[in-house]
Amino acid sequence: MNRLKNQRVYLAGAMDRVADRGNGRRDNITPYLEDLGVIVFNPIKKPTKIGKEDVETHRYKTKLKLEKNYDELSAIMKTIRGVDLRLVDISDFLIVNLDLDVHPCGTYEEVFLANRSKKPVIIHLEQGKQNAPDWLFGTIPHQMIFSSWNELKNYLQYIDSYNDIEHHN
């Protein structure tokens, strides 16, 4: 069927306090999504010249914090936040990686924005679905929360391949 062809996905998940800035998991799922014909929006590799979140920007933000230059840090982060939320706006669905050991401040805003916009939000939870924060069960259909990347990929394959799919509101 190839139902996902030309759909746009935003890859949400913590970046600030993750050793590889979240590159690994995004780089791992991207080829799979591209093979399905999905257009991938990766906040680390934004399709824009503003709001970059590369290694150099991260180092600069860290330096600003050390210098207590919060005015400049706020200005940078307002741009980054605006670009990221715009990418959520123009996405058709989100794939989110949640690790309960890492504080995902922006990720939750992205999830709730997509949810209010009636966009599907598909969550991979590092600690397993059974450990999902209770609030998520009131926000996201539990069928969209997965304990492994393979389960999540199987769900995407199902959505992509079958005409008779079950919708979860």
Side-chain angles (χ1 to χ4, degrees):
M1 293 268 328
N2 208 6
R3 297 168 66 94
L4 292 176
K5 185 175 183 178
N6 296 322
Q7 295 295 301
R8 296 160 300 195
V9 65
Y10 179 80
L11 302 179
M15 292 169 59
D16 279 355
R17 293 167 174 85
V18 180
D20 71 350
R21 311 268 307 123
N23 272 311
R25 61 183 149 68
R26 288 179 174 97
D27 288 347
N28 287 339
I29 191 95
T30 295
Y32 176 80
L33 294 166
E34 289 174 341
D35 285 347
L36 294 173
V38 176
I39 299 162
V40 177
F41 293 142
N42 178 342
I44 296 172
K45 301 171 184 170
K46 293 182 176 83
T48 177
K49 292 182 187 206
I50 62 169
K52 295 288 185 190
E53 289 186 88
D54 54 15
V55 173
E56 182 179 317
T57 303
H58 179 65
R59 283 189 195 125
Y60 187 62
K61 292 186 309 181
T62 301
K63 178 180 173 270
L64 292 175
K65 282 183 182 179
L66 290 172
E67 294 171 351
K68 298 184 180 181
N69 187 345
Y70 303 123
D71 289 335
E72 190 168 349
L73 178 62
S74 293
I76 290 168
M77 287 311 302
K78 284 179 184 180
T79 300
I80 289 171
R81 179 178 174 262
V83 171
D84 287 1
L85 294 178
R86 180 62 183 144
L87 288 173
V88 171
D89 283 341
I90 63 174
S91 293
D92 298 301
F93 67 105
L94 269 62
I95 293 178
V96 181
N97 185 71
L98 280 183
D99 181 345
L100 300 179
D101 295 333
V102 178
H103 184 70
C105 187
T107 302
Y108 280 128
E109 183 176 14
E110 293 161 350
V111 166
F112 298 140
L113 173 61
N115 179 257
R116 281 190 303 274
S117 301
K118 308 293 184 207
K119 295 175 190 242
V121 177
I122 304 168
I123 297 176
H124 167 259
L125 189 67
E126 293 283 342
Q127 289 78 6
K129 181 177 183 171
Q130 71 277 9
N131 293 305
D134 294 346
W135 195 267
L136 281 181
F137 286 102
T139 307
I140 307 299
H142 76 87
Q143 296 90 340
M144 305 291 270
I145 303 173
F146 298 93
S147 298
S148 75
W149 285 109
N150 282 338
E151 289 175 359
L152 189 147
K153 287 178 180 180
N154 288 341
Y155 177 73
L156 290 173
Q157 191 65 46
Y158 168 72
I159 294 299
D160 190 54
S161 301
Y162 295 97
N163 195 24
D164 184 28
I165 60 173
E166 183 178 339
H167 294 275
H168 302 293
N169 296 325

